[in-house]
Amino acid sequence: MGLLEKCEELFQTTSLYDLLGVDRTATDAEVRRSYYKVSLQVHPDRAPDDPLATEKFQVLGKLYAVLCDAEQRAVYDETGVVDEESDTLKKERCWEDYWRVLFPTITLKDILDFEKKYQGSAEEREDLLKLYVKHEGDMDLITSSAMCCTVEDEPRLCAILREAIEAEEVPAFPAFTKESAKKTKARRKRAVKERVEAEEMQKEQGLGDEEDGLAMMIKVYSIWHTRWILVGFRGNSIVDSRLFKMYLHF
């Protein structure tokens, strides 16, 4: 089965641009950024409950390999067809290694700078509204998918969503507008419990305040990574969102 057929089977579209959520005129940087964001949603480590995650991740890797190749992209733009016989697609690759080469490990400063720039930005708002529509207002799913999001951010995110609903930018899904106090409380209680567990793990592993912040997070990551694989990542199962951002670049 060819790449376009696989895209239709797994993502219900044969448009490489639609799949990434970009226009045909998108720059290379915009395509790369969108590939990064979409691929995170199906990364095998981050979507353990999706039996098709690995296959989706591989297809996205091939898609990006086509669009980042000027010649291949030109052929696709002109004909709407992908050259399945090209070296780009025929070459045997480990797509997870390919992804890690494209998005190498970042520093703690990079993480903090990203959070500072992202939170409260137009990009965060746009991403949040997309998640709201995708999950039809289910805050459990929204908060577990949103970047740089902890339980402390929920009131701020809810305020953004209420404003968007009032402005009729998005529908008023009952799951959001009529969420029970019991469900809200359970979500917050779960997040607090998981944070306490993470802090206890730090103590068990002897990770004190005297250790370098990034080194500490790397150690905590190694502990949590196994648990993510076994029980599935739920979005707030870490000390804070900085560790999550670092995890995405491993």
Side-chain angles (χ1 to χ4, degrees), residues 47-219:
D49 296 327
D50 184 354
L52 298 176
T54 297
E55 191 174 5
K56 290 177 180 177
F57 187 77
Q58 292 171 345
V59 168
L60 284 172
K62 293 179 179 181
L63 178 158
Y64 180 70
V66 169
L67 293 184
C68 73
D69 182 300
E71 186 176 335
Q72 289 294 314
R73 183 174 178 178
V75 170
Y76 174 71
D77 286 349
E78 184 176 344
T79 66
V81 174
V82 170
D83 183 3
E84 301 288 347
E85 297 302 314
S86 68
D87 291 339
T88 301
L89 295 182
K90 289 186 71 175
K91 184 178 180 181
E92 289 294 326
R93 298 192 195 193
C94 172
W95 293 103
E96 190 163 350
D97 288 346
Y98 174 72
W99 189 85
R100 289 180 178 180
V101 169
L102 288 173
F103 308 110
T105 303
I106 56 176
T107 66
L108 177 58
K109 184 177 183 304
D110 291 331
I111 297 166
L112 296 174
D113 287 346
F114 175 85
E115 282 192 332
K116 186 176 180 180
K117 182 179 179 181
Y118 182 76
Q119 291 183 329
S121 68
E123 181 182 9
E124 181 192 44
R125 185 178 188 277
E126 181 182 351
D127 289 343
L128 177 61
L129 296 188
K130 287 180 179 178
L131 287 174
Y132 172 80
V133 172
K134 177 181 178 180
H135 297 303
E136 298 184 349
D138 188 325
M139 284 302 293
D140 283 353
L141 297 177
I142 293 169
T143 55
S144 70
S145 302
M147 289 199 296
C148 300
C149 173
T150 65
V151 66
E152 288 82 5
D153 293 298
E154 188 170 324
R156 179 177 65 85
L157 300 183
C158 285
I160 293 172
L161 292 174
R162 283 193 290 269
E163 288 176 3
I165 292 171
E166 218 172 292
E168 298 184 346
E169 294 179 64
V170 292
F173 291 116
F176 176 77
T177 59
K178 298 181 180 180
E179 182 179 65
S180 68
K182 182 179 179 181
K183 184 178 179 182
T184 303
K185 185 177 179 180
R187 181 170 56 254
R188 293 175 181 173
K189 183 178 179 181
R190 185 166 61 244
V192 171
K193 178 174 180 270
E194 291 171 344
R195 176 170 293 188
V196 170
E197 289 176 353
E199 291 170 350
E200 289 175 351
M201 277 193 178
Q202 288 185 58
K203 292 178 182 178
E204 289 172 9
Q205 295 297 316
L207 305 178
D209 294 335
E210 72 279 5
E211 297 207 39
D212 174 77
L214 181 58
M216 181 182 74
M217 286 194 290
I218 291 174
K219 289 182 180 180

Side-chain angles (χ1 to χ4, degrees), residues 232-246:
F233 178 68
R234 289 199 298 258
N236 290 316
S237 307
I238 48 179
V239 179
D240 58 30
S241 60
R242 287 173 297 174
L243 176 56
F244 172 53
K245 281 300 301 176
M246 180 185 71

Side-chain angles (χ1 to χ4, degrees), residues 20 22-23 25-37 64 67-68 73 103 123:
L20 293 185
V22 297
D23 295 329
T25 56
T27 64
D28 290 343
E30 289 171 335
V31 169
R32 178 189 172 94
R33 184 176 181 82
S34 294
Y35 163 60
Y36 174 62
K37 290 170 67 175
Y64 180 70
L67 293 184
C68 73
R73 183 174 178 178
F103 308 110
E123 181 182 9

